Every structure is written in structure tokens, then in C-alpha cells.
Amino acid sequence: MRTDALDRVDTVVDALAAGADEAEQTAQLPADTVNALRTAGLFRMVVPARYGGDELPMSTVLPVLAALARTDPAAGWVVGQVALSQLIIGCGGEGTAAEVYAGGPDVVAAGAVAIKGRAARTADGWRVSGRWPFVSGCRHASWFYLNCAVQDGRGLTRGPDGDVLSRMVVLPATDVTIESSWQALGLRGTGSHDVTVARAICPEHRGFTGSRVEPTAEMIADRVAASSLIIAAVALGIAEGASTELIELVVGGKRPALSRLPLSRSPHLQDQLGEADVRCRAARTVLLDTARAAEDRTDAATPQGRARTRATAAHLIAEATAVVDTAYRLAGGTAVYDTCPLQRRLRDMRTAAQHFVAGRQSFAALGASLVGETPDDGGL
């Protein structure tokens, strides 16, 4: 179903295509691309309406991310991670949100769920230090969420279950240093550099605990589960783009080496391309059904429901990866050149598939819950 949010994608397609090569070379989205995304309102999709945002449901956001990724996977990834960052920041309550959105809803935020820093309580808040990897879109961000272990003297504070207590802090970009570390196989334009913080003070109101024993833990877990669908949507867009690019190559007269017939006449190609089309359409249906189930909050907000969401996302990412691999293979020697868009699709897809939400541990967590065992969700 066509939505207003999808219509906005049409207004940025030319800008994304024009900036894709520069993003690849500079390891960040060009300023013109970011401005086009902001003007189209694609950084405000999940921002609460009371702050001027669209407050769209995930089932509406995911097709937008897939559509962006069909043109430029890096742009789709960054927009998805901005949405996730805003969802995580929203766990901090009104005090945090009011400060973050004081200048309007079109806020580029970035961050990391992984507990890579330390936070020690002080008289005026929390003193924060650490280094966090894979912070997508960080060069364009004005706010960061960063997860920290709570420090107790020289050690770490632990809860009743023995787990290290964590504190999610929300910091302005002025407190964060970007380390140029993003020399990666694919998704180069996402600019997913490391960031560091050195003894910055985060006020008490601008953050929240992520520990399992706290009320916010369930909210964070729900949003991390949503993050897996965000990545699956981008993966789907990459796969759909790869199928389109293969079709364009074939229809354009691609002829295999030593063959008298065009590739379009190959029964093998026809079989594989038909299967890839079905895989993409099935993945889209399952992705949206899973998002709608989470919105209905039937069982999606339970440990088993979250495990099912994450396992579904892992499956969809695997399906998308298979489609891209097929398209690359069918393109033959043409695809090995930097000038072939299928080569970039392969690199981008293989990079996306390395994300932790694509791992098989999600299937094990779901299987455990189905037989009455406690899923090992890694604290998320």
C-alpha cells in the first residue's frame, strides 16, 4: 500500500543516486544527501507528534527504509539507524526528549547499544568515558545515545542476578569525538566510525538505566527487537535493488562468454531469477506481518515474542543475502568490476549480514522459549 512516507522517497531518489559514489569514497553521506533526507522529513518518521514528528508505526517505516536501500543502501541504513536512535532516546522520558527535540523534530541521532563505556555517579549526574564502535551516521549526528557499565569505585555494579548494571546516557555531539575507523568491506557511506567520550558529564535527567531489573529494560528490549526489523528492511531493499540491476543487465543484452545466446534466453537464469523474485516478495510479506504483530502487542512484547521477531529478522536477512548472491553470480564476470553496481550490492549485503541481529543465536533463543527454557538474549 502506498503511503505519504513512501511518496517522500520519490523526492530524494535523484539526490541519493547523485551522492552514492561520493559516499562510498568519503565514508559518509554527502551533505546534499543528508539535507535532501531532512527536507523530505525522513529523519522525523518515529519522532513523537508532540515534538513535531510523524510518530509513524514501524509497519509504515520499514517499506520506506527498503525503498531508500533500493537506490542507496548506505542511505537506507543511516535513516534506519537514526530512527532506532530516536526510539532508544525515547526510553529516557520527557526530560531527555524535550532537550533533544528543542530545536525541532528533524534530529539526526546516533549511538550504540553495546555496553562499551563506563559511567560513574557524580554529584551532578554521571561521568562517562569509553569507546563505542559501529556508530552509523555519527558525523551528521547532533545527539548520541551510548550504553555504559555502571562503575562502583574501581569495579562494576552488579544487580541481584549478578549481571552488570548498565546506564544509557544521552550526550550532545560536543561531548563526543569521532575516530576515523570505518574502512570496511561495504556500507561504506554509512560512516559507522568509532566514537569516544572522555570524562563527559551527563545530567541525571538525560539518560536511563538499561538493567533487567528496571522498568525501562522491557522498553529497550522491545526497541532492540525492532532494530532487527530495521536491518531486515534495509537488507530487503538491497536484495530488491540487486534483482532490478540484474534484470537491467540481462535486458540490456548481456551475453555469457562462449555462448551464442543472450543471457535472457538461459533457462538457468530464468529459474534462478524467478525464485529470487518470489523470495523478495515473501520476505516483504513476512517483514510487514511481523511489524504489525509487534504493533498489536499480542505476544510481541514478551520474551518469546521478541525472540520470534529477532529470529524472523535473521531469517529475512539470510533470504536477502541469498538473493544478492544469486544476482551477483548470474551476472558473471561483469560483476567483478567496481563499475558494476552488483559488486557494491554484494559488499553492502555481506556487511549488513555481519550485524549481530543476523546471527543464528536468534533461532536458538526462539527455540529455547518454545520448549519452556529461558532465552539467552545476551541481556537484550
Side-chain angles (χ1 to χ4, degrees):
M1 182 176 67
R2 194 75 187 176
T3 64
D4 172 65
L6 270 175
D7 289 340
R8 297 183 213 171
V9 175
D10 294 340
T11 70
V12 301
V13 166
D14 289 345
L16 299 190
D21 286 342
E22 181 181 340
E24 183 85 354
Q25 294 161 9
T26 62
Q28 64 182 29
L29 296 182
D32 287 348
T33 299
V34 174
N35 289 337
L37 293 168
R38 181 180 286 110
T39 299
L42 294 171
F43 290 137
R44 63 167 66 185
M45 290 190 291
V46 303
V47 174
R50 61 185 176 279
Y51 297 112
D54 296 329
E55 203 169 336
L56 298 177
M58 196 56 61
S59 58
T60 300
V61 172
L62 297 178
V64 172
L65 302 181
L68 290 170
R70 283 198 293 275
T71 297
D72 180 9
W77 184 279
V78 169
V79 172
Q81 292 306 301
V82 168
L84 172 63
S85 299
Q86 293 166 344
L87 290 174
I88 296 290
I89 287 170
C91 296
E94 293 301 319
T96 302
E99 191 168 353
V100 168
Y101 300 120
D106 300 302
V107 172
V108 177
V113 172
I115 302 173
K116 295 293 185 179
R118 293 197 174 193
R121 188 178 287 280
T122 67
D124 47 359
W126 296 83
R127 186 177 62 251
V128 178
S129 295
R131 181 173 183 136
W132 294 261
F134 301 112
V135 184
S136 300
C138 56
R139 292 199 185 279
H140 302 291
S142 53
W143 288 93
F144 290 81
Y145 75 91
L146 300 167
N147 211 358
C148 305
V150 175
Q151 197 164 354
D152 181 13
R154 294 185 178 181
L156 299 177
T157 304
R158 295 183 181 273
D161 56 3
D163 287 346
V164 172
L165 299 185
S166 64
R167 178 81 183 174
M168 195 77 79
V169 299
V170 179
L171 297 172
T174 50
D175 287 342
V176 177
T177 300
I178 297 170
E179 310 291 346
S180 296
S181 59
W182 190 238
Q183 292 85 44
L185 173 70
L187 292 174
R188 295 174 180 173
T190 64
S192 302
H193 300 284
D194 292 10
V195 303
T196 59
V197 175
R199 300 177 67 82
I201 299 298
C202 180
E204 179 70 29
H205 76 272
R206 214 196 303 128
F208 48 95
T209 181
S211 304
R212 292 180 191 236
V213 297
E214 298 295 330
T216 51
E218 289 291 310
M219 187 183 298
I220 295 170
D222 286 347
R223 293 180 178 187
V224 171
S227 77
S228 66
L229 297 181
I230 286 172
I231 292 168
V234 174
L236 174 62
I238 296 174
E240 290 173 337
S243 291
T244 298
E245 286 158 0
L246 175 63
I247 291 169
E248 290 173 351
L249 181 67
V250 172
V251 172
K254 165 76 176 176
R255 188 184 300 272
L258 308 180
S259 174
R260 292 176 301 164
L261 297 175
L263 187 56
S264 62
R265 300 279 297 277
S266 164
H268 176 67
L269 174 128
Q270 294 166 358
D271 172 81
Q272 296 284 289
L273 185 58
E275 182 181 21
D277 179 79
V278 171
R279 276 181 144 160
C280 284
R281 289 189 294 109
R284 177 175 286 272
T285 298
V286 173
L287 177 70
L288 294 180
D289 282 351
T290 304
R292 292 184 186 112
E295 290 159 11
D296 292 341
R297 298 185 69 81
T298 48
D299 74 332
T302 66
Q304 185 177 102
R306 287 191 291 270
R308 180 172 283 114
T309 295
R310 292 172 64 174
T312 300
H315 170 72
L316 297 180
I317 294 167
E319 287 290 280
T321 302
V323 169
V324 174
D325 286 351
T326 294
Y328 180 84
R329 185 176 65 253
L330 291 172
T334 302
V336 306
Y337 291 97
D338 287 346
T339 52
C340 180
L342 281 168
Q343 189 233 61
R344 188 180 299 177
R345 292 278 173 184
L346 182 74
R347 291 189 289 101
D348 288 346
M349 187 68 250
R350 283 294 173 177
T351 301
Q354 292 296 105
H355 196 282
F356 81 91
V357 303
R360 289 200 60 85
Q361 70 274 7
S362 298
F363 297 115
L366 176 57
S369 71
L370 292 174
V371 296
E373 299 292 338
T374 302
D376 180 6
D377 59 4
L380 298 173

